[in-house]
Amino acid sequence: MNTTSARVAIVTGGSRGIGRQVVERLAADGHAVVVNYGGNRPEADAAVDAVVGAGGRAIAVQADVADEKAVSALFDVAERTFGGVDVVVHAAGIMVLSPVADIDLDALDRMHRTNIRGTFVVGQQAARRVRSGGAIVNFSTSVLGLALPGYAAYAASKGAVEAVTLILARELRGRDVTVNAVAPGPTATALFLDGKDEETVARMAAQPPLERLGTPSDIAEVVAFLAGPGHWVNGQVIRANGGIV
């Protein structure tokens, strides 16, 4: 088997939610996919099985995205198995919600370690290793523009992601590698729906002019565009939120 002819994607946080949908969407476009996961091996294996069952190629690799040695090893596996790396989608992240006055600072540190340090660690390896013609896609959030109470710590971490994204795009001048971020609005994932009553979900679904929640597939379509045909889009934050302002 020629492992260098097809494009290769690493998707962090690829075992569930939006990351899982991105894995399947990129595989459908012909990418060999490395499904990175933090701790849930069964879900990562299920993502791999879905890709392989549809005729694609995928493997699961565990790595803490904030651990530089683990992330370097993740890229090593991708290169050994599939011949290189063309697309890196950094979807791994955690969300802690609390008013500023009440936030647990240890929880803040854990979230910022994953969301901010993790973006630097993954971005560092991606900047060194993604092949010409490739793409790096980070994840922000539309809550940055909405300024919702309780989201200050999470939004702050994603503000950092946007800053890294825009600057890295310029640092990679001459490499023919794009760097963009996708900023979803309310999206119907298990993480989003957990703990919300029907009234809250209905209210949030009514916010965008399209009058529904986003789906993981909606977000995966944007990622697939940036990873392939949208190569002229670079150094941008795409607010995929149905029109919420």
Side-chain angles (χ1 to χ4, degrees):
M1 179 184 294
N2 182 353
T3 59
T4 62
S5 59
R7 282 167 72 84
V8 179
I10 294 174
V11 181
T12 70
S15 64
R16 54 187 171 179
I18 292 171
R20 166 69 178 272
Q21 194 66 43
V22 168
V23 165
E24 295 189 26
R25 183 64 177 80
L26 293 181
D29 281 349
H31 292 77
V33 184
V34 178
V35 181
N36 162 253
Y37 67 99
N40 196 322
R41 180 70 194 226
E43 290 200 31
D45 287 340
V48 169
D49 290 344
V51 169
V52 173
R57 293 184 296 158
I59 59 172
V61 180
Q62 192 276 336
D64 172 0
V65 295
D67 181 331
E68 64 271 30
K69 292 182 180 178
V71 171
S72 179
L74 168 67
F75 277 74
D76 288 344
V77 171
E79 290 174 343
R80 281 199 309 270
T81 305
F82 296 124
V85 178
D86 302 284
V87 175
V88 174
V89 180
H90 181 40
I94 62 175
M95 181 170 64
V96 176
L97 302 182
S98 171
V100 171
D102 301 326
I103 192 163
D104 181 301
L105 294 179
D106 288 338
L108 174 73
D109 288 344
R110 289 194 300 273
M111 180 170 63
H112 284 191
R113 180 180 183 275
T114 295
N115 294 2
I116 300 177
R117 179 184 169 91
T119 298
F120 273 97
V121 170
V122 173
Q124 184 177 69
Q125 290 298 321
R128 294 170 178 173
R129 305 212 206 185
V130 169
R131 296 185 287 202
S132 178
I136 301 167
V137 182
N138 291 322
F139 267 80
S140 181
T141 174
S142 284
V143 81
L144 273 174
L146 299 175
L148 298 176
Y151 282 80
Y154 180 66
S157 74
K158 293 301 186 176
V161 171
E162 292 193 10
V164 173
T165 298
L166 302 186
I167 293 170
L168 182 57
R170 287 148 181 82
E171 290 180 347
L172 294 185
R173 173 181 291 274
R175 287 276 305 281
D176 191 28
V177 172
T178 62
V179 190
N180 295 287
V182 177
T187 304
T189 63
L191 179 65
F192 170 79
L193 295 171
D194 184 44
K196 293 183 175 67
D197 58 34
E198 290 185 13
E199 180 183 354
T200 299
V201 172
R203 185 178 68 253
M204 298 186 79
Q207 286 182 311
L210 296 180
E211 295 186 325
R212 66 172 175 84
L213 295 175
T215 67
S217 180
D218 290 326
I219 310 306
E221 289 293 336
V222 179
V223 174
F225 174 74
L226 295 173
H231 197 65
W232 188 236
V233 179
N234 189 27
Q236 304 298 318
V237 178
I238 310 299
R239 304 213 179 280
N241 59 26
I244 296 176
V245 294

